[in-house]
Amino acid sequence: MVELKLQVDYRCYASTTELPPEYQELLDCAKKALGLSYSPYSSFKVGAAILLEDGTLVPGANQENASYPLCLCAERNALAVANIQYPSQKMVAMAVVAAKEDIFVSPCGACRQVIWENEQRNEGVITMLIQGPQGKVYGFKSIGDLLPFGFSGTDLG
């Protein structure tokens, strides 16, 4: 047996002012999307936004349902809109924020998988920005940093 270790490299920005202007706008778009959240059951509002290669910003917000498995996360909401309304545009980055600013909210497993598949469709990475406690922003080069050993269509043979 050999024991191996996974390592994730990421950046931690003390505030959004350390980010490039286009990423500041991306995070602002995700924060504005919080107002579009439909979360009457959990009151857990999540906003997301995608930056496309032409500079277009695509917002998304979580949409709950009394039958929880039918809920739609903010990330998948934004991805669906981007894929349908801007099919020829590559996705450059995605930001995820929660209304509860005292916690770190990263994409759930289902969203990580869907973002991973979109990276494969994109044939390029989607930089991930996640708003954390005290206004810090965590930057990951790719969703692959949050989904080691990701599964994609190429694995289906």
Side-chain angles (χ1 to χ4, degrees):
M1 179 190 85
V2 175
E3 186 171 321
L4 304 171
K5 183 189 292 188
L6 287 173
Q7 179 177 323
V8 175
D9 294 321
Y10 63 95
R11 293 180 175 182
C12 181
Y13 302 91
S15 76
T16 57
T17 59
E18 293 183 35
L19 294 167
E22 63 272 16
Y23 285 174
Q24 290 178 27
E25 291 175 22
L26 178 63
L27 273 165
D28 287 343
C29 183
K31 288 176 187 174
K32 287 177 187 168
L34 289 170
L36 302 172
S37 170
Y38 177 72
S39 47
Y41 308 107
S42 70
S43 298
F44 191 77
K45 296 181 182 302
V46 179
I50 296 172
L51 172 64
L52 302 178
E53 65 185 343
D54 72 352
T56 300
L57 296 173
V58 180
N62 60 321
Q63 304 294 302
E64 288 186 350
N65 189 285
S67 175
Y68 274 8
L70 301 179
C71 296
L72 183 61
C73 295
E75 299 92 329
R76 285 182 280 152
N77 183 309
L79 287 164
V81 171
N83 282 320
I84 291 167
Q85 291 190 345
Y86 307 97
S88 63
Q89 288 291 316
K90 287 193 174 195
M91 298 175 203
V92 175
M94 174 183 271
V96 179
V97 300
K100 298 182 182 218
E101 296 180 5
D102 59 335
I103 59 174
F104 176 85
V105 178
S106 67
C108 71
C111 286
R112 291 176 193 208
Q113 176 61 39
V114 174
I115 298 165
W116 175 253
E117 179 112 359
N118 275 272
E119 279 196 357
Q120 307 311 300
R121 287 174 69 176
N122 244 0
E123 297 179 352
V125 298
I126 299 172
T127 299
M128 297 297 302
L129 299 173
I130 301 171
Q131 182 81 54
Q134 292 90 39
K136 292 180 181 171
V137 178
Y138 298 85
F140 299 86
K141 182 178 178 183
S142 162
I143 194 64
D145 293 328
L146 297 171
L147 185 68
F149 309 111
F151 180 82
S152 71
T154 59
D155 298 310
L156 297 174

